[in-house]
């Protein structure tokens, strides 16, 4: 499909290319929506094979951010930036690195607040400190709200408790067996919450030292990368990759609840969302469960207050309960209920909000 046709079909507002010959910066920013407020989404640095691949990624990720913020009740729109290049090469020269990110900051400033950036895959808060030298439209800074991952983990834990409430009538994970896939920034902290709550953990990661850490700290049982789908568990918590709920894995999953941090958990939402529903599984939609990080970043934009952030993240519990009960009442898969919740808010707010609100 041609770009304008695609943008028209899915309601995209803006797609911007930026090229700085001097620093080698090639960036694409996609603003999907500013209906609810300034668009916000991190900057991903990736060695894309083609320019089309980069554009597709920016388009897909920006729309996802619109839905995530809309569903979380934030006054934020959805956007995302992708940078095409080899980060490993760039970090070899600290002078070039600074110039590169400051050039990116100058470009972001030129969007005049319609888009706020943050760190994402392959970018760091140190990179964002350089960006911050040239623009105010950058969030998640180390000296402000910092790394969003612990807040994402807290939100996932609350989503998991809500899922348990609906599945078992009790929100506690005490005595529940949880299979955690991926022990990175979010997964490891989630394990801590679960362990403190009395859950039994099965874990896997491609990094053996992380697995060893979880075994030592939480008494977790280690399983291989593939075995995680066969664990006789109550809850499967995907915290590594997307698309792990698919035709191959669904017949193997023995859990009652699926709830984790990974984005795009369902390989094809309309297909696999329906299949797991028919199998009687309770699925907490990914972008609702993993919204803790963006909620924390939003608090930074308002003027950071960690207690307020934790209170806002706590509401993920109620939101997941609402989605799961609506799904049970209407027969709609949970991913669809979440999408409709986001769309209802977006449609209601058209022409209401100024993008410069807080
Ligand atoms: P991370 O990179 O810190 O951790 C990911 C972990 O998964 C790593 O330890 C990695 O070794 C492991 N892994 C990779 N492939 C694996 C495989 N095949 N099997 C098992 N483990 C594997 O990332 P993170 O920040 O912890 O984020 C985890 C997931 O949550 C990602 O999908 C991310 O997009 C999503 N997410 C993160 C945040 C956040 O605040 N960090 C917010 C929303 C969504």
């Amino acid at each position: 499909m041609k770009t304008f046709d695609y943008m028209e079909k899915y309601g995209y507002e803006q797609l911007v290319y930026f090229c700085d010959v001097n620093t080698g910066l090639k960036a694409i920013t996609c603003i999907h929506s500013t209906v609810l407020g300034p668009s916000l989404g991190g900057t991903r640095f990736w060695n894309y094979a083609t320019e089309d691949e980069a554009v597709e990624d920016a388009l897909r990720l920006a729309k996802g951010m619109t839905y995530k913020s809309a569903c979380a009740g934030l006054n934020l729109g959805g956007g995302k930036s992708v940078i095409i290049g080899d980060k490993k090469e760039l970090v070899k020269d600290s002078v070039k690195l600074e110039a590169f990110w400051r050039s990116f900051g100058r470009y972001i400033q030129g969007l005049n607040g319609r888009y706020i950036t943050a760190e994402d895959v392959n970018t760091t808060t140190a990179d964002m400190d350089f960006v911050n030298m040239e623009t105010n439209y950058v969030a998640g800074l180390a000296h402000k709200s910092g790394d969003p991952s612990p807040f994402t983990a807290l939100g996932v834990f609350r989503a998991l408790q809500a899922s348990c409430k609906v599945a078992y009538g009790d929100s506690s994970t005490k005595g529940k067996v949880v299979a955690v896939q991926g022990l990175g920034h979010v997964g490891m902290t989630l394990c801590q919450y679960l362990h403190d709550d009395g859950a039994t953990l099965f874990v896997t990661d491609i990094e053996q030292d992380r697995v060893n850490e979880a075994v030592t700290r939480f008494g977790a049982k280690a399983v291989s990368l593939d075995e995680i789908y066969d664990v006789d568990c109550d809850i499967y918590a995907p915290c590594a990759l997307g698309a792990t709920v698919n035709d191959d894995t669904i017949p193997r999953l023995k859990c009652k609840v699926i709830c984790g941090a990974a984005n795009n958990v369902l390989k094809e939402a309309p297909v696999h969302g329906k299949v797991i529903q028919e199998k009687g599984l309770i699925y907490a939609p990914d972008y609702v469960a993993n919204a803790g990080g963006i909620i924390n970043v939003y608090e930074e934009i308002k003027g950071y207050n960690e207690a307020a952030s934790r209170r806002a993240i706590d509401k993920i519990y109620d939101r997941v309960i609402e989605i799961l009960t609506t799904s049970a009442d209407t027969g709609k898969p949970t991913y669809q209920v979440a999408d409709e919740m986001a769309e209802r808010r977006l449609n209601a707010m058209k022409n209401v909000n100024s993008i410069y609100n807080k």
Side-chain angles (χ1 to χ4, degrees):
M1 198 185 289
K2 292 210 170 98
T3 310
F4 270 125
D5 292 343
Y6 188 86
M7 289 176 75
E8 211 170 358
K9 185 169 177 192
Y10 296 106
Y12 285 87
E13 291 182 16
Q14 200 171 358
L15 188 63
V16 191
Y17 278 58
F18 184 75
C19 182
D20 179 8
V21 180
N22 192 41
T23 60
L25 172 65
K26 285 183 189 152
I28 299 168
T29 298
C30 176
I31 298 174
H32 173 252
S33 169
T34 57
V35 167
L36 296 174
S39 67
L40 191 146
T43 294
R44 186 164 285 199
F45 203 127
W46 203 251
N47 217 345
Y48 292 98
T50 65
E51 200 177 301
D52 284 351
E53 212 179 273
V55 172
E56 273 170 35
D57 218 18
L59 287 164
R60 182 178 59 85
L61 294 165
K63 183 162 175 266
M65 291 307 296
T66 299
Y67 277 65
K68 184 185 288 206
S69 286
C71 220
L74 309 179
N75 290 328
L76 287 176
K80 203 84 181 183
S81 291
V82 298
I83 291 178
I84 304 171
D86 186 351
K87 180 87 188 280
K88 285 199 184 96
E89 271 306 307
L90 183 67
V91 296
K92 286 179 185 165
D93 184 329
S94 61
V95 173
K96 279 190 183 160
L97 183 74
E98 176 179 349
F100 184 93
W101 284 116
R102 291 182 69 166
S103 176
F104 182 67
R106 193 169 60 98
Y107 150 64
I108 295 301
Q109 181 66 19
L111 297 172
N112 204 25
R114 283 176 50 74
Y115 167 71
I116 301 168
T117 197
E119 67 167 305
D120 195 74
V121 174
N122 242 345
T123 54
T124 65
T125 50
D127 296 333
M128 293 306 131
D129 284 342
F130 288 132
V131 175
N132 190 42
M133 290 177 186
E134 304 300 331
T135 182
N136 293 324
Y137 303 120
V138 53
L141 296 166
H143 62 285
K144 291 187 178 168
S145 71
D147 178 8
S149 309
F151 298 91
T152 303
L154 173 61
V156 173
F157 181 62
R158 294 296 284 145
L160 227 148
Q161 288 182 312
S163 306
C164 284
K165 178 75 182 165
V166 172
Y168 303 108
D170 182 354
S171 61
S172 170
T173 60
K174 189 174 167 66
K176 296 281 178 293
V177 178
V178 189
V180 182
Q181 180 182 44
L183 299 165
H185 290 96
V186 182
M188 195 68 89
T189 310
L190 178 65
C191 284
Q192 180 74 62
Y193 281 117
L194 289 164
H195 175 68
D196 292 347
D197 202 37
T200 299
L201 302 176
F202 282 78
V203 296
T204 193
D205 197 292
I206 47 177
E207 303 289 343
Q208 192 54 44
D209 56 341
R210 292 184 191 167
V211 173
N212 295 345
E213 184 182 335
V215 170
T216 310
R217 280 174 62 188
F218 315 122
K221 295 181 181 64
V223 295
S224 72
L225 294 179
D226 192 53
E227 274 169 353
I228 198 77
Y229 302 110
D230 302 315
V231 173
D232 196 359
C233 64
D234 301 295
I235 299 154
Y236 164 54
C239 297
L241 315 163
T244 58
V245 173
N246 55 47
D247 290 342
D248 297 331
T249 59
I250 291 172
R252 293 167 62 185
L253 292 175
K254 298 186 179 61
C255 59
K256 174 82 179 162
V257 168
I258 300 174
C259 175
N263 286 309
N264 304 315
V265 166
L266 306 174
K267 186 166 185 201
E268 287 171 71
V271 178
H272 301 112
K274 189 88 193 137
V275 175
I276 54 173
Q277 185 192 28
E278 284 164 3
K279 207 180 161 185
L281 301 189
I282 304 259
Y283 167 61
D286 44 17
Y287 66 75
V288 180
N290 70 21
I294 186 97
I295 293 171
N296 194 53
V297 167
Y298 178 63
E299 287 297 325
E300 174 179 324
I301 295 167
K302 292 200 300 180
Y304 192 56
N305 175 330
E306 188 175 327
S309 177
R310 286 182 183 276
R311 279 197 298 278
I313 292 166
D314 214 42
K315 292 186 183 145
I316 289 178
Y317 180 92
D318 297 329
R319 207 164 295 124
V320 172
I321 294 274
E322 186 184 341
I323 289 168
L324 299 183
T325 7
T326 307
S327 166
D329 292 346
T330 60
K332 292 177 184 173
T334 57
Y335 84 86
Q336 188 184 339
V337 175
D339 281 0
E340 287 177 2
M341 190 184 254
E343 283 159 7
R344 200 160 55 242
R345 185 153 181 260
L346 285 162
N347 287 331
M349 296 295 180
K350 266 183 193 154
N351 306 323
V352 172
N353 263 1
S354 152
I355 69 161
Y356 300 106
N357 66 8
K358 293 287 183 201

